[in-house]
């Protein structure tokens, strides 16, 4: 059975061209870039090239790119490194809808005497900018707010937030893991101080990411050891991963506009058909201000997990907003923050597309979904028959 992969916000297929670029770095060019010999030294040029490729996609200087082990490390490093550099400031501002890589770090900070403010969002998942402005003060070390939400695709006004923070002299970090490669960024003309991205979310390899740190931003090193990455992140470089990420950024930059217009058309077709054909379902998130690839839909009275299992029988991969852990069903913290009713939050499904999806795949899913939903509703104890 063919896999129909609509779970690209979880991870993406690596581009074959990325693999080709990485191959020589395993068994041929395996030297350590920190070595004095020519054999090792030549690897440094590969890393420099990758750094330039990433910088070109972001519109920043290569010297502002720090390679990490992924989005989670970049987020941890930005938050902890900023607080370590500014010991007199004890307040962090974030949102209720962040990825766990930010939210878990912030919640842990509360155990260490920090004041953490989690901003609210409205029904459509939009940020309350007035609340942000109110909370910004001279005790605030950092604002960390995602660029685009992984569950709903809702895009936050990162530049507006950055300008507000800059006005108050507060550092702004954004988790842009879901935005990079999907919407164009230009960090040169921006007030964003720090930005996280991850290789495997843009058709690059897993286990490699980037923290952009604007020149002059105070950040304590977050991994101590050797002198790699300008002393900010010690440890022998993940050379194949870094080279692969560089190539993935180059490919993303080349086709970003056409590719995302095509993906958006597929997404819109899928979404419209589902909303039309299935009764009692609703779109979650700000329809007009979303990533082009993401659609989060709630089906009333049924469990997201049940829908996923049925889709899985046809090889269709999607994701449910709720995570089922050890038998307890926790609805998504993102949908809860948006005030999505309990019955709808439990039945939410995220479809996330990519450059590899086709119209044929979309048609197949459109054809299968209504029958799946009807069948599950027939079995549902919540539906009055
Ligand atoms: C996937 C994701 C991360 C984590 O990135 P990893 O490279 O898997 O550690 C962080 N933030 C967001 C918004 C994500 O979607």
């Amino acid at each position: 059975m063919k896999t129909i992969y609509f779970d690209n916000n979880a991870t993406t297929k690596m581009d074959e061209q990325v693999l080709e670029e990485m191959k020589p770095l395993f068994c041929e060019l395996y030297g350590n870039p920190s070595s004095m010999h020519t054999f090792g030294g030549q690897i440094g040029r590969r890393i420099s090239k990758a750094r330039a490729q990433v910088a070109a996609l972001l519109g920043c200087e290569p010297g502002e790119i720090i390679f990490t082990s992924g989005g989670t490390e970049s987020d941890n490093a930005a938050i902890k490194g900023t607080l370590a550099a500014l010991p007199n400031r004890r307040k962090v501002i974030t949102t209720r809808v962040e990825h766990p890589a930010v939210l878990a770090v912030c919640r842990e900070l509360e155990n260490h005497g920090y004041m953490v403010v989690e901003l609210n969002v409205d029904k459509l998942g939009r940020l309350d900018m007035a609340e942000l402005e109110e909370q910004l003060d001279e005790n605030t070390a950092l604002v960390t707010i995602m660029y685009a939400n992984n569950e709903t695709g809702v895009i936050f006004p990162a530049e507006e937030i950055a300008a507000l923070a800059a006005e108050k002299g507060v550092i702004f970090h954004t988790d842009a893991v879901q935005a990079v490669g999907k919407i164009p960024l230009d960090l040169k003309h921006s007030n964003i101080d720090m930005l996280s991205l991850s290789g495997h979310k843009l058709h690059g390899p897993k286990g490699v990411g980037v923290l952009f740190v604007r020149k002059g931003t105070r950040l304590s090193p977050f991994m101590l050891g050797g002198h790699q990455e300008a002393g900010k992140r010690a440890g022998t470089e993940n050379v194949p991963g870094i080279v692969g990420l560089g190539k993935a950024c180059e490919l993303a930059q080349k086709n970003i506009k056409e590719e995302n217009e095509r993906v958006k058309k597929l997404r819109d077709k899928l979404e419209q058909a589902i909303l039309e054909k299935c009764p009692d379902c609703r779109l979650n998130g700000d329809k007009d201000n979303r990533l082009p690839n993401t659609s989060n839909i709630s089906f009333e009275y049924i469990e997201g997990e049940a829908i996923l299992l049925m889709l899985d029988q046809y090889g269709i991969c999607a994701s449910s907003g709720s995570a089922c852990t050890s038998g307890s069903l926790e609805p998504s913290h993102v949908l809860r923050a948006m005030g999505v009713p309990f019955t709808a939050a439990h039945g939410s499904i995220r479809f996330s597309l990519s450059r590899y999806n086709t119209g044929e795949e979309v048609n197949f899913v459109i054809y299968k979904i209504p029958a799946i939903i009807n069948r599950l509703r027939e079995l549902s104890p919540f539906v009055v028959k």
Side-chain angles (χ1 to χ4, degrees):
M1 184 171 54
K2 208 176 142 265
T3 295
I4 296 181
Y5 192 73
F6 283 0
D7 199 12
N8 286 278
N9 287 10
T11 196
T12 58
K13 173 185 151 89
M14 202 172 80
D15 196 295
E16 303 279 348
Q17 295 175 71
V18 170
L19 177 62
E20 287 310 312
E21 202 79 3
M22 291 169 71
K23 270 182 185 167
L25 282 312
F26 289 99
C27 302
E28 294 159 45
L29 302 170
Y30 55 82
N32 188 323
S34 299
S35 296
M36 292 303 292
H37 40 73
T38 315
F39 180 63
Q42 62 182 327
I43 311 299
R45 283 196 292 279
R46 301 296 178 113
I47 295 178
S48 300
K49 182 181 167 193
R51 208 182 294 282
Q53 286 165 318
V54 178
L57 177 63
L58 300 181
C60 67
E61 296 297 320
E64 296 172 317
I65 298 297
I66 300 174
F67 288 111
T68 68
S69 68
T72 301
E73 184 189 322
S74 297
D75 288 342
N76 271 261
I79 298 168
K80 294 176 188 173
T82 300
L83 296 179
L86 304 169
N88 295 326
R89 297 193 175 209
R90 307 293 292 175
K91 181 172 166 183
V92 175
I93 301 174
T94 185
T95 77
R96 285 177 65 190
V97 298
E98 296 300 306
H99 188 275
V102 166
L103 216 43
V105 179
C106 288
R107 288 183 180 165
E108 169 65 14
L109 289 172
E110 287 185 317
N111 300 333
H112 297 278
Y114 283 93
M115 181 183 172
V116 177
V117 175
E118 293 179 14
L119 300 174
N120 292 300
V121 295
D122 68 8
K123 274 192 335 211
L124 297 180
R126 294 174 304 193
L127 203 61
D128 185 342
M129 293 296 283
E131 194 189 0
L132 168 63
E133 197 162 0
E134 237 166 70
Q135 288 291 349
L136 277 167
D137 58 18
E138 56 285 359
N139 190 33
T140 309
L142 177 73
V143 175
T144 174
I145 293 179
M146 66 202 327
Y147 208 112
N149 189 273
N150 46 301
E151 290 189 29
T152 59
V154 171
I155 298 169
F156 282 151
E159 288 305 339
E160 255 178 76
I161 300 167
L164 261 183
E167 213 174 274
K168 303 278 171 99
V170 175
I171 292 183
F172 174 51
H173 163 256
T174 185
D175 175 338
V177 170
Q178 291 295 343
V180 175
K182 294 174 191 151
I183 41 183
L185 298 176
D186 180 16
L187 291 176
K188 193 180 185 122
H189 304 100
S190 161
N191 283 305
I192 294 170
D193 298 301
M194 286 184 286
L195 175 146
S196 302
L197 67 88
S198 172
H200 75 101
K201 301 286 174 83
L202 69 149
H203 306 289
K206 293 173 177 61
V208 65
V210 157
L211 180 63
F212 155 83
V213 183
R214 186 174 300 283
K215 197 166 168 252
T217 306
R218 292 179 60 190
L219 183 76
S220 288
F222 43 91
M223 195 79 98
L224 300 178
H227 298 294
Q228 294 91 352
E229 297 300 290
K232 289 281 192 237
R233 203 276 186 183
T236 300
E237 297 86 344
N238 169 8
V239 181
I242 289 170
V243 167
L245 174 53
K247 185 68 182 177
C249 287
E250 183 195 296
L251 294 171
Q253 191 186 2
K254 200 153 64 184
N255 305 318
I256 191 162
K257 201 160 164 282
E258 298 75 19
E259 193 172 286
N260 285 297
E261 274 168 16
R262 194 184 75 84
V263 168
K264 182 174 184 297
K265 279 200 188 113
L266 291 177
R267 190 273 314 263
D268 288 346
K269 183 177 179 193
L270 174 74
E271 180 176 289
Q272 277 160 20
I274 293 174
L275 293 174
E276 264 172 40
K277 290 180 179 201
C278 302
D280 295 321
C281 64
R282 48 183 274 172
L283 180 70
N284 293 314
D286 187 1
K287 189 174 196 294
D288 302 319
N289 198 19
R290 279 182 301 162
L291 294 172
N293 79 318
T294 309
S295 183
N296 190 309
I297 298 176
S298 277
F299 301 89
E300 289 271 6
Y301 318 119
I302 40 184
E303 295 289 348
E305 282 73 17
I307 304 171
L308 287 186
L309 287 176
M310 300 272 271
L311 289 172
D312 196 51
Q313 292 183 352
Y314 301 107
I316 302 165
C317 309
S319 154
S320 72
S322 53
C324 174
T325 34
S326 62
S328 77
L329 283 168
E330 269 292 305
S332 143
H333 70 286
V334 175
L335 300 185
R336 266 209 327 244
M338 290 162 61
V340 175
F342 208 69
T343 50
H346 268 299
S348 76
I349 297 287
R350 177 189 70 190
F351 300 95
S352 48
L353 283 62
S354 84
R355 70 168 75 130
Y356 295 114
N357 291 123
T358 64
E360 228 174 21
E361 291 176 330
V362 166
N363 289 341
F364 183 70
V365 177
I366 292 173
Y367 169 66
K368 286 292 175 197
I369 288 240
I372 290 176
I373 300 305
N374 283 340
R375 175 88 190 103
L376 289 171
R377 289 240 173 93
E378 276 166 21
L379 301 169
S380 169
F382 304 112
V383 183
V384 183
K385 285 166 207 121

